[in-house]
Amino acid sequence: MSNNRRDFLKKAALAGAGAALYHTAGKGRAWAFAQSPTRIRKFVTSLPGLGPSAQNEIGQYLPLATKHTINFAGRPTDLYNVAVTQFSEWMHPDLPGKTNFFGYTDVSTFDQKYLAGAIVAKRGTPVLLAVTNQLPERHILPVDPTMMAGENGLTVGDFPTNRIATHLHGGATPWFSDGTPFQWFTPSGRHGASFMNVPGFPALPGTGTYYYPNDQSARLAWYHDHAIGITRLNAYAGIASAYIITDDFEGALVNAGLLPDLIGIPLIIQDKGFVPKHIFELDPSWRWGDPGDLWYPHKYEVTTFRDGAENPRGRWDWGPTVDPPSSGTMPLPRTSVIPEAFFDTIVINGGLYPKVSVAPKRVRFRLLNGSQARFYHLNLYPEAVANPGEARVGTPGPVMYQVGSEGGFLPVVAIHDNATPIPLDPSDPSDNTAVADGPFNLLLAPAERADVVIDFNGVPAGSSFILYNDAPAPFPGGEAVNEYFTGDPDQQQSGGAPTTAFGHGPNTRTLLKIVVGAGNGDSVPTHTWLAHLNTQLRTGFLNGSQPGLLFHDGDPSSPAFPFL
Ligand SMILES: [Cu+2]
């Protein structure tokens, strides 16, 4: 342990004691909830891109995994070797320290970065992925030891916390490679009941091997951890990366000029909380990361105590005090899981409130909602000239043409014209409830993807836009304590954050700033492009670019998509 850290812990312990006294005195200051530092400037660092050539001002980028071509099971196969390790990274110049993560890293480059290990796969060419577990014994986040984790009542506390299981989200994968919760393994090779390496591709204890046939159409998938009882923590800690499947249909669209490029700009959108310097004033029982590290809820703050008294800082209903009460509730553990976690700081590709420059043409973005629970309802608005960093809400920005989703290419382009704010349910006077059926602009639930071409043709150089989220959290019935925006009400007395200062986080609305540069636009006008693209998407769809979707129960007389 470094002197600095020991010093910090000592000071922290004192601060914690002080806060606890304050709490006892009834002044209401201490509870087990914290907000990220309030002086993080928005839109000062650039969006981390794919590969070292796309790094931002503070060295952030998304490293690709290294491909080795081998012959396996009689077929050319792409082999990737990654490790899961602990590392730290500067995420923003205004954070009080580096952030500790768990995450994938390519074994040959050992380039440890947040969301590293991106894989670009080709339809029909299988991928063999070998994952070596090099995690330390201690988890960087609060682990609830009482969660179910095995047979006969075994819980998380009965097992090591450095268990991993790699799941390809969106992959059509054989069972032994699906990385389901009981397929976990530890660095020493201890493993869950259904762990199994790829037949014919064994590995030493502490490594798991996975076989992905890639017998599916082009799309953005992602791989992330899925170990029983700690999936929420491992994925939030960073054990996740992109897995892009390309195919010939997509390549032909690129060659025909109907897609700007094969990969596009990834936008992996997540919400995170970062430990502030004064963590022990906010959250005296916090005993995990240092300032700058990831924060995670660890205490189940009940809305109503057992004696019926309301908890003004409560966040979650509790079995014994709901109506009707549930029976068999166990005592709340000291370090507890909570139903779903929302955080106050938006991170895209690991960048906090990043900015990105684009040419005045059609630009392809690959969106993934990599958040645990937060939905995003997205509109693109012009940046307010008089209020830099804020959006001119209600003024539509360049149209977003959605060409694909987590299911691959759509049969027809979905047009999001940025003229549809979240529809609010008038029966909730607090304006925190969305109409669940829409209409929506672009709505992304957790783990959903959107393949979007934004049309910047004709936009004057120097124009800037804000990708703006107005989805309640939870969705559709939200709570104000989970929403952060400039000038929001001070909610410190109800377990929330102070007012967000202009130009700074926390903010869950202004996600990304897009600045349009100078240059030539596309030679094909957008209405012509759209007509041609729609023809190709429809033809590709009907020709089986998406096998298995065309007919109900395989019956050709019953088309699933009569509108085609
Ligand atoms: Cu998943």
Side-chain angles (χ1 to χ4, degrees), residues 548-564:
L549 288 180
L550 282 181
F551 306 106
H552 290 300
D553 307 319
D555 175 5
S557 66
S558 168
F561 297 93
F563 60 87
L564 285 171

Side-chain angles (χ1 to χ4, degrees), residues 296-552:
Y296 199 93
H298 53 95
K299 184 164 183 254
Y300 195 97
E301 288 275 11
V302 299
T303 49
T304 311
F305 296 114
R306 198 182 275 280
D307 63 6
E310 273 199 29
N311 177 5
R313 296 162 203 139
R315 291 197 168 230
W316 302 287
D317 291 337
W318 184 40
T321 52
V322 293
D323 183 22
S326 57
S327 59
T329 308
M330 295 191 299
L332 288 170
R334 198 165 147 232
T335 299
S336 178
V337 69
I338 55 120
E340 52 185 350
F342 297 97
F343 302 93
D344 59 12
T345 300
I346 301 302
V347 170
I348 307 184
N349 301 352
L352 275 65
Y353 314 109
K355 56 181 177 176
V356 64
S357 300
V358 297
K361 3 164 84 170
R362 292 183 288 269
V363 180
R364 185 180 186 189
F365 292 93
R366 312 292 294 272
L367 283 72
L368 158 65
N369 178 355
S371 310
Q372 181 190 105
R374 188 178 289 279
F375 282 54
Y376 298 93
H377 179 254
L378 302 171
N379 279 273
L380 188 62
Y381 296 134
E383 185 180 21
V385 178
N387 289 309
E390 301 299 323
R392 273 164 58 200
V393 175
T395 302
V399 173
M400 304 196 281
Y401 295 91
Q402 185 177 0
V403 301
S405 72
E406 54 281 342
F409 285 108
L410 301 175
V412 62
V413 173
I415 297 178
H416 306 299
D417 60 8
N418 305 306
T420 310
I422 194 78
L424 292 172
D425 183 340
S427 70
D428 175 6
S430 72
D431 279 350
N432 284 312
T433 302
V435 179
D437 297 337
F440 299 119
N441 199 54
L442 174 54
L443 181 70
L444 275 186
E448 285 187 339
R449 281 84 79 193
D451 190 346
V452 168
V453 176
I454 304 184
D455 180 19
F456 295 103
N457 278 294
V459 173
S463 305
S464 52
F465 300 91
I466 302 285
L467 187 64
Y468 188 86
N469 164 48
D470 58 5
F475 190 91
E479 285 184 62
V481 287
N482 297 322
E483 222 202 327
Y484 303 83
F485 53 95
T486 306
D488 56 5
D490 185 332
Q491 300 185 83
Q492 293 178 87
Q493 291 315 309
S494 54
T499 296
T500 291
F502 177 77
H504 297 78
N507 198 309
T508 52
R509 290 188 177 178
T510 53
L511 312 186
L512 171 73
K513 175 168 161 169
I514 302 177
V515 182
V516 181
N520 294 324
D522 290 302
S523 51
V524 177
T526 291
H527 64 271
T528 312
W529 164 80
L530 180 62
H532 288 171
L533 180 58
N534 270 333
T535 303
Q536 290 305 313
L537 289 179
R538 180 177 181 276
T539 306
F541 197 81
L542 290 172
N543 288 341
S545 72
Q546 303 282 37
L549 288 180
L550 282 181
F551 306 106
H552 290 300

Side-chain angles (χ1 to χ4, degrees), residues 69-116:
T69 303
I70 63 165
N71 228 288
F72 179 75
R75 300 172 68 182
T77 299
D78 296 340
L79 170 67
Y80 294 89
N81 295 297
V82 300
V84 176
T85 69
Q86 180 176 329
F87 58 93
S88 62
E89 178 173 333
W90 274 109
M91 301 299 278
H92 193 283
D94 298 339
L95 277 172
K98 283 182 162 187
T99 307
N100 261 321
F101 292 107
F102 288 171
Y104 300 111
T105 186
D106 183 79
V107 165
S108 40
T109 63
F110 226 77
D111 191 3
Q112 295 169 294
K113 287 204 161 53
Y114 185 64
L115 300 180

Side-chain angles (χ1 to χ4, degrees), residues 144-157 159 163 181-182 227-230 330:
D144 180 343
T146 68
M147 297 288 288
M148 183 197 88
E151 298 146 86
N152 306 318
L154 289 175
T155 65
V156 164
F159 296 98
R163 296 176 289 114
F182 291 100
I228 183 75
I230 51 174
M330 295 191 299

Side-chain angles (χ1 to χ4, degrees), residues 167-170 222 224-226 447:
H167 171 69
L168 177 59
H169 188 125
W222 58 311
H224 64 76
D225 197 73
H226 213 325

